[in-house]
Amino acid sequence: GGGDSVVTLLDYGAGNVRSVRNAIRFLGFDIKDVQTSEDIVNAKRLIFPGVGAFAAAMDVLNRNGLAEALCSYIESDQPFLGICLGLQLLFESSEEKGPVKGLGLIPGVVGRFDSSNGCRVPHIGWNALQIKDDSEILDDIGNRHVYFVHSYRAIPVIACLDVRTNDKGDLVVTKGDQYDVREHTKENEVRNLGKPVELAGQYYLDGADEVSFLNITGFRAFPLDDLLMLQILRYTSENVFVPLTVGGGIRDFTDGNGRYYSSLEVASEYFRSGADKISIGSDAVYAAEEFLKTGVKTGKSSLEQISRVYGNQAVVVSIDPRRVYLRNPDDVKFKATRMRNPGPNGEEYAWYQCTVNGGREGRPIGAYELAKAVEELGAGEILLNCIDCDGQGKGFDIDLIQMISDAVSIPVIASSGAGAVEHFSEVFSKTNASAALAAGIFHRKEVPIQSVKEHLLKEGIEVRI
Ligand code: 1PR
């Protein structure tokens, strides 16, 4: 219930509701959380943000008697804002992992986008709105760019912050050369490029379309012990109003006291702290290997569990491949590609071996095989790194990015090697990458994000300015 300054929020426990909370508070309203169906009945205005999978959300609504209350609230014509899934649930049914029955307040079925015309699905990114009538409702949105999980998109530029604890115990933004993040000095210290919250805030102001945090030692430390990381997300999400992705250490885990945490719990904590997407590295490699071996989707991998609850669009798989040169593409059972530039011994081909634990261990699976498998298992996006190119500033690995972005129909984020604005236009003109990510050039202030965008615009590539 509540007075004029209260908005009732239906948070059913999936997805990042923090950004909606921040927005409501920014507008000067207090938030009343729905605890029971009574709270819906008594609401004066109700917001229903929905990120996640249709079936899982319907389950929660039905289980707690919220569905009925929601229907009578909306039928009595009271103020209601359904966001994304929060609107879709009002339809009769959804094709998402279904058909699954919805609330049936709006006639129609929620269908999947057609990807046969070359559109990547899910479509994830920033776009300009073309407003056909004279509606002023969106006048406040600057030049009318909006983040879509939809069907047309502008090319996003993503700033990536690799974070880890340095030897003094501070969480710092670091950046490696081919994944080696230590200074080559006597002290051998972890490179320190700044403070995570400050840098993320700066990149947002500079025009980054998305910000990613990768907790690069998450594979050995358990992320839920890393309260600092969660704190960083909370602070960042207060000031950074572009999608936030966080990765590192997402897996099932049993702590020293024998308490078991599912990867879903880990991810949920990240989402609650302000992440819009989570990114899985090592654990996705193991899941893909298992899937390719057995041909069975167990539903138990972190990838499958998290995408089932939060939706595919919330799950990024980060691939850390290393080039293995070949004279003959038939020498390995993994997909090899012809290289634009031959290897050190004149090799004309290479396959890309996936690694785990921050590049420390090579696995018997190629980037191509991994990408196809994780698409099957429910990944919504692929963050495609390349250890050979990381931190080198010599350009993206076009051969790799071309091979992977042609192989899957989910968006591929090109990463590793950006050193100049031309590298960004090159990757978009030569491959089907859907976004480009860079770290070092932004941290070292060599090239501002704005210059990258101005260059892309000049080259005829649509970006959010
Ligand atoms: O395996 O689920 O715990 O996830 C670990 C995550 O941490 C993975 O996403 C993995 O890519 C990342 N990671 C692990 N070790 C490192 C390292 O650098 N030692 N960083 C690491 C990955 C790579 C990029 C980088 C680009 C662009 N960083 O994201 O930002 O290469 O760099 P550039 O523009 O400077 O060339 P898990």
Side-chain angles (χ1 to χ4, degrees):
D4 277 350
S5 64
V6 174
V7 169
T8 304
L9 186 73
L10 176 49
D11 173 5
Y12 59 91
N16 173 17
V17 172
R18 185 166 285 265
S19 51
V20 175
R21 285 182 194 281
N22 290 340
I24 297 173
R25 289 207 190 93
F26 176 78
L27 293 172
F29 289 86
D30 292 324
I31 296 165
K32 164 111 180 97
D33 276 294
V34 171
Q35 310 281 354
T36 66
S37 52
E38 274 301 289
D39 295 326
I40 296 181
V41 175
N42 295 328
K44 296 276 183 295
R45 44 181 91 78
L46 181 65
I47 297 187
F48 185 14
V51 179
F54 196 102
M58 271 313 291
D59 277 346
V60 177
L61 294 185
N62 285 327
R63 205 166 43 234
N64 303 327
L66 301 176
E68 222 179 6
L70 193 56
C71 288
S72 43
Y73 177 86
I74 295 172
E75 278 167 345
S76 65
D77 217 13
Q78 302 192 70
F80 174 81
L81 174 64
I83 304 174
C84 195
L85 189 65
L87 177 68
Q88 295 184 3
L89 289 163
L90 308 187
F91 285 77
E92 288 166 311
S93 68
S94 168
E95 286 175 19
E96 186 178 358
K97 311 224 164 75
V100 180
K101 206 164 166 296
L103 295 171
L105 294 165
I106 302 178
V109 177
V110 177
R112 200 178 152 76
F113 285 120
D114 182 7
S115 56
S116 60
N117 55 2
C119 284
R120 293 187 177 249
V121 180
H123 160 238
I124 303 175
W126 286 96
N127 276 91
L129 291 175
Q130 284 182 356
I131 297 167
K132 292 231 184 325
D133 60 21
D134 291 323
S135 165
E136 290 166 11
I137 190 165
L138 296 169
D139 278 0
D140 287 342
I141 311 183
N143 65 351
R144 298 185 174 186
H145 273 94
V146 173
Y147 190 76
F148 280 82
V149 181
H150 214 249
S151 46
Y152 294 94
R153 65 180 313 191
I155 295 289
V157 176
I158 304 174
C160 182
L161 296 93
D162 291 354
V163 294
R164 63 159 287 170
T165 317
N166 67 9
D167 304 315
K168 292 199 210 95
D170 304 321
L171 210 54
V172 297
V173 175
T174 191
K175 181 66 213 79
D177 280 324
Q178 303 185 326
Y179 284 35
D180 176 5
V181 298
R182 290 190 178 269
E183 302 280 10
H184 292 190
T185 56
K186 199 159 79 280
E187 290 76 24
N188 205 224
E189 65 270 37
V190 171
R191 279 191 199 153
N192 181 349
L193 292 161
K195 296 192 178 138
V197 179
E198 269 171 32
L199 269 187
Q202 191 55 52
Y203 293 151
Y204 166 66
L205 295 176
D206 291 347
D209 296 305
E210 296 187 32
V211 172
S212 294
F213 284 117
L214 296 174
N215 182 351
I216 67 169
T217 48
F219 70 92
R220 50 175 186 244
F222 180 54
L224 293 192
D225 288 340
D226 206 340
L227 295 177
L228 219 53
M229 187 67 215
L230 298 173
Q231 200 65 45
I232 282 175
L233 273 178
R234 288 188 197 115
Y235 287 137
T236 303
S237 65
E238 280 174 20
N239 299 310
V240 171
F241 305 114
V242 290
L244 263 183
T245 301
V246 63
I250 295 178
R251 62 181 191 283
D252 296 343
F253 185 82
T254 304
D255 72 11
N257 303 320
R259 159 89 155 88
Y260 168 80
Y261 298 85
S262 70
S263 55
L264 188 57
E265 286 174 75
V266 180
S268 302
E269 198 54 44
Y270 276 150
F271 287 123
R272 268 196 293 277
S273 302
D276 298 290
K277 307 184 231 179
I278 55 89
S279 151
I280 309 175
S282 307
D283 212 45
V285 178
Y286 300 125
E289 285 181 33
E290 191 60 27
F291 173 54
L292 290 179
K293 199 157 68 197
T294 61
V296 179
K297 292 187 205 168
T298 62
K300 297 212 171 84
S301 65
S302 52
L303 173 52
E304 291 161 287
Q305 287 191 49
I306 300 166
S307 62
R308 190 163 56 240
V309 174
Y310 289 94
N312 300 18
Q313 86 296 330
V315 183
V316 182
V317 166
S318 161
I319 311 185
D320 301 310
R322 187 177 270 124
R323 222 180 271 146
V324 183
Y325 293 103
L326 297 169
R327 292 206 172 279
N328 182 344
D330 301 326
D331 286 352
V332 286
K333 60 178 182 179
F334 309 106
K335 173 123 174 139
T337 186
R338 201 189 184 100
M339 309 291 294
R340 273 151 223 263
N341 301 309
N345 301 305
E347 300 93 337
E348 282 182 35
Y349 294 88
W351 71 285
Y352 287 85
Q353 182 178 24
C354 291
T355 66
V356 294
N357 301 349
R360 288 168 181 79
E361 182 192 339
R363 298 295 305 178
I365 182 168
Y368 175 90
E369 290 76 20
L370 183 82
K372 295 194 74 88
V374 298
E375 177 175 32
E376 277 280 303
L377 292 173
E381 252 179 316
I382 287 175
L383 163 53
L384 184 57
N385 303 294
C386 175
I387 297 181
D388 306 76
C389 297
D390 173 61
Q392 306 304 295
K394 294 190 191 131
F396 295 98
D397 189 322
I398 301 295
D399 300 310
L400 169 67
I401 297 163
Q402 189 170 47
M403 171 166 74
I404 303 300
S405 63
D406 286 346
V408 295
S409 63
I410 52 177
V412 172
I413 303 165
S415 165
S416 302
V421 293
E422 292 77 16
H423 295 149
F424 290 84
S425 45
E426 181 188 29
V427 77
F428 294 127
S429 62
K430 294 189 179 158
T431 78
N432 283 313
S434 300
L437 173 150
I441 53 165
F442 299 147
H443 302 337
R444 292 187 303 267
K445 305 191 170 48
E446 289 164 7
V447 179
I449 294 171
Q450 210 54 39
S451 313
V452 172
K453 293 191 158 187
E454 280 160 16
H455 171 78
L456 288 173
L457 213 55
K458 204 175 84 223
E459 297 294 313
I461 298 164
E462 199 196 328
V463 291
R464 181 183 71 108
I465 292 280

